[in-house]
């Protein structure tokens, strides 16, 4: 690893999110690499990505070295190995320098032992001592349940837990985005929410939220300026209510790396809910759609576990699998293999041909913390409100 500093800088340039995970400090690099590393961290902090032009423009930066680092062929999969090597090299140099200070009587023997102990602990793993309290807590303290406001039956049957990864699946045009926005509206009363909107016109999403909260026909909102004063007051009240909650909307396409970076850097003292509409539109470098969905599913699951969030990802269905089907099953998920495995829960938005236009089912087909269930719901497309039904027959009968 003669060029390990070049390779590490190259990894950060290729995958900036490694800066959120690294234990490396500027002092771990030599002067030229230290300047580049510092500039990279500054660019990432300010832009949530690395802008190479900004790095090259920094006074005193070795431009040729930046270019050499950017052409490194070291794979980011070896990052941990390279990082460990960098820590060992830094510790070796620091210990030798401290020993030289002791030899020259620049420090006392006590200071030498203190410094060497500090250096020895760099990069080491922290351990957890098993105590009675810790062991008992593991069986008495459980992940908190996610609380709903309007969907009480769904809350009871889904038993959604913090850090779950949920797939909300449905055929094209069935209304899964509409259901997702209703869940966003519901959960935002209790949790900060983030909605990655990859295919809907942003104004339409905002109008749907207003329509749900005002209970007015969405088309009426387009004539807001000419509404009767009574209706205008209702709309204004709905807007005021929504704006008081903590809802963040991301209205542009995104790569998996950018999505991960946003979630990792999201600042919230409370557990938060992330909606991804939809997972098939996340940008990933992969040879085919199956490999793409496999990577997306694994990473979304990991994000939900590593961060203080629950993720609800929307997913299209395989059109061939849904033909003439009377009820959904997991094989209908598009490129279903890893989605089915990674998700802790899978919910289908389902509608039978003979049902009324506004009647749907939420079919919980996979549930790691509860049984499979079917929840009849109504969905009024005029005001965008979804609601639970208590007097509708079971889909399976």
């Amino acid at each position: 690893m003669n060029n390990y500093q070049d390779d590490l800088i190259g990894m950060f340039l290729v995958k900036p999110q490694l800066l959120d995970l690294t234990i490396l400090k500027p002092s771990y690099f030599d002067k030229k690499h230290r300047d580049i590393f510092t500039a990279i961290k500054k660019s990432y902090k300010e832009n949530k990505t690395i802008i190479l032009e900004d790095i090259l423009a920094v006074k005193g930066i070795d431009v040729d070295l930046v270019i050499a680092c950017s052409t490194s062929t070291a794979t980011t999969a070896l990052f941990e190995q390279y990082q460990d090597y960098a820590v060992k090299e830094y510790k070796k140099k620091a210990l030798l320098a401290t020993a030289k200070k002791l030899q020259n009587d620049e420090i006392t023997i006590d200071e030498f032992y203190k410094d060497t102990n500090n250096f020895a602990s760099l990069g080491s793993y922290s351990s957890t001592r098993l105590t009675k309290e810790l062991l008992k807590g593991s069986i008495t303290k459980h992940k908190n349940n996610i609380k709903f406001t309007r969907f009480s039956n769904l809350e009871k049957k889904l038993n959604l837990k913090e850090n779950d990864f949920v797939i909300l699946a449905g055929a094209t045009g069935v209304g899964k985005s509409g259901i997702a926005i209703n869940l966003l509206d519901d959960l935002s009363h209790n949790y900060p929410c983030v909605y990655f909107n990859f295919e809907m016109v942003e104004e339409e999403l905002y109008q749907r939220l207003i329509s749900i909260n005002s209970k007015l026909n969405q088309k009426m909102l387009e004539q807001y300026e000419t509404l009767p004063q009574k209706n205008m007051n209702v709309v204004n009240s709905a807007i005021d209510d929504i704006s008081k909650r903590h809802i963040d909307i991301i209205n542009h396409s995104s790569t998996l790396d950018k999505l991960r970076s946003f979630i990792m850097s999201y600042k919230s003292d409370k557990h938060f809910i992330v909606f991804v509409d939809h997972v098939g539109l996340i940008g990933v470098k992969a040879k085919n759609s199956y490999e793409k969905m496999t990577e997306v599913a694994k990473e979304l699951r990991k994000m939900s576990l590593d961060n203080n969030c629950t993720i609800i990802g929307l997913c299209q269905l395989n059109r061939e699998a849904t033909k003439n089907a009377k009820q959904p099953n997991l094989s209908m998920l598009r490129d279903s293999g890893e989605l089915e495995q990674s998700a802790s829960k899978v919910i289908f938005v389902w509608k039978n041909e003979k049902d009324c236009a506004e009647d749907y089912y939420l079919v919980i087909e996979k549930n790691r913390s509860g049984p499979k269930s079917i929840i009849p719901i109504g969905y009024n497309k005029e005001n965008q409100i979804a609601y639970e039904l208590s007097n509708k027959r079971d889909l399976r009968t």
Side-chain angles (χ1 to χ4, degrees):
M1 292 189 182
N2 293 332
N3 298 319
Y4 72 91
Q5 296 191 64
D6 287 9
D7 293 329
L8 280 168
I9 295 296
M11 291 179 192
F12 290 130
L13 290 171
V14 170
K15 195 171 185 179
Q17 292 73 26
L18 292 174
L19 290 165
D20 292 321
L21 307 174
T22 187
I23 61 172
L24 298 180
K25 301 177 181 179
S27 57
Y28 287 26
F29 296 86
D30 62 35
K31 178 63 169 64
K32 290 185 176 181
H33 289 89
R34 185 186 311 149
D35 291 343
I36 299 172
F37 180 70
T38 302
I40 285 174
K41 289 190 72 175
K42 184 175 184 292
S43 179
Y44 181 67
K45 182 179 180 180
E46 294 175 352
N47 306 294
K48 297 305 178 186
T49 188
I50 293 174
I51 300 176
L52 190 57
E53 291 80 4
D54 291 349
I55 308 299
L56 297 176
V58 174
K59 185 178 180 180
I61 285 287
D62 188 331
V63 174
D64 291 336
L65 182 57
V66 174
I67 295 172
C69 292
S70 67
T71 59
S72 168
T73 58
T75 173
T76 55
L78 298 176
F79 174 72
E80 291 291 342
Q81 182 178 338
Y82 275 80
Q83 178 173 254
D84 288 343
Y85 185 83
V87 172
K88 289 177 182 177
E89 287 298 299
Y90 173 73
K91 287 164 66 174
K92 186 191 300 181
K93 293 175 183 176
L95 288 169
L96 288 172
T98 303
K100 188 174 182 179
K101 287 182 180 180
L102 178 64
Q103 187 178 22
N104 295 334
D105 292 325
E106 296 175 17
I107 58 174
T108 65
I109 189 70
D110 289 334
E111 289 172 332
F112 171 78
Y113 282 131
K114 181 181 178 180
D115 288 347
T116 53
N117 285 335
N118 288 336
F119 292 137
S121 64
L122 291 175
S124 61
Y125 293 101
S126 61
S127 63
T128 301
R129 178 66 60 86
L130 291 180
T131 63
K132 288 194 297 184
E133 291 76 14
L134 184 63
L135 292 168
K136 190 171 183 179
S138 70
I139 57 177
T140 58
K141 296 178 182 178
H142 305 288
K143 287 287 185 183
N144 292 328
N145 281 27
I146 298 297
K147 301 296 182 183
F148 291 80
T149 55
R150 290 191 286 121
F151 294 90
S152 57
N153 199 17
L154 178 64
E155 177 183 324
K156 180 180 178 181
K157 293 184 176 180
L158 185 62
N159 196 23
L160 185 61
K161 304 283 188 179
E162 291 183 355
N163 301 103
D164 271 343
F165 169 40
V166 183
I167 286 294
L168 180 67
T172 302
V174 76
K176 59 184 176 295
S177 290
I179 300 299
I181 294 172
N182 273 267
L183 296 179
L184 167 68
D185 176 71
D186 184 306
L187 293 169
S188 63
H189 286 280
N190 297 317
Y191 306 91
C193 289
V194 180
Y195 197 100
F196 287 90
N197 172 37
F198 295 154
E199 64 174 355
M200 195 185 311
V201 176
E202 57 186 275
E203 286 79 9
E204 181 182 355
L205 194 159
Y206 306 152
Q207 289 174 12
R208 288 190 181 195
L209 276 172
I210 297 170
S211 188
I212 290 168
N213 285 272
S214 66
K215 298 181 175 61
L216 296 178
N217 189 317
Q218 186 180 350
K219 292 182 178 179
M220 291 178 63
L221 302 179
E222 298 175 3
Q223 286 83 42
Y224 170 75
E225 292 85 354
T226 61
L227 286 176
Q229 188 61 48
K230 180 180 178 181
N231 289 343
M232 187 176 288
N233 291 340
V234 171
V235 172
N236 290 339
S237 177
I239 290 173
D240 186 53
D241 178 35
I242 297 168
S243 64
K244 287 179 181 178
R245 303 179 221 164
H246 192 154
I247 303 175
D248 288 287
I249 309 292
I250 292 83
N251 283 308
H252 49 76
S253 60
S254 181
T255 63
L256 188 59
D257 285 342
K258 287 183 178 179
L259 192 148
R260 184 193 300 109
S261 176
F262 184 93
I263 291 175
M264 290 177 66
S265 61
Y266 189 75
K267 299 187 184 304
S268 174
D269 295 331
K270 296 179 64 177
H271 188 83
F272 61 100
I273 313 294
V274 177
F275 293 82
V276 182
D277 185 7
H278 60 82
V279 297
L281 294 177
I282 299 175
V284 178
K285 292 181 180 179
K287 293 181 180 179
N288 55 55
S289 58
Y290 181 83
E291 289 182 1
K292 172 183 175 180
M293 197 57 68
T294 296
E295 184 176 354
V296 167
K298 287 182 176 179
E299 283 300 309
L300 289 177
R301 177 57 179 157
K302 189 173 185 300
M303 287 180 216
S304 69
L305 293 173
D306 291 347
N307 299 279
N308 189 29
C309 70
T310 295
I311 297 180
I312 301 175
L314 279 64
C315 176
Q316 300 278 25
L317 297 187
N318 185 319
R319 291 183 180 180
E320 291 299 318
T322 58
K323 285 183 177 179
N324 302 318
K326 294 183 178 180
Q327 59 191 52
N329 60 73
L330 295 175
S331 65
M332 292 179 179
L333 296 178
R334 183 168 291 180
D335 302 307
S336 63
E338 191 56 44
L339 274 177
E340 178 184 336
Q341 293 297 319
S342 294
S344 48
K345 301 171 189 296
V346 177
I347 308 170
F348 288 90
V349 180
W350 192 259
K351 180 179 181 299
N352 277 347
E353 291 288 334
K354 57 187 178 182
D355 282 330
C356 299
E358 72 277 10
D359 288 354
Y360 294 78
Y361 300 90
L362 293 181
V363 182
I364 305 173
E365 193 64 15
K366 178 181 179 181
N367 194 354
R368 285 182 182 166
S369 54
K372 296 181 180 181
S373 302
I374 296 176
I375 301 170
I377 62 170
Y379 180 35
N380 186 329
K381 290 189 177 181
E382 291 187 353
N383 60 21
Q384 296 298 316
I385 296 177
Y387 49 94
E388 295 181 341
L389 298 172
S390 58
N391 58 348
K392 188 177 177 185
R393 66 176 180 81
D394 194 304
L395 173 64
R396 300 187 192 275
T397 59

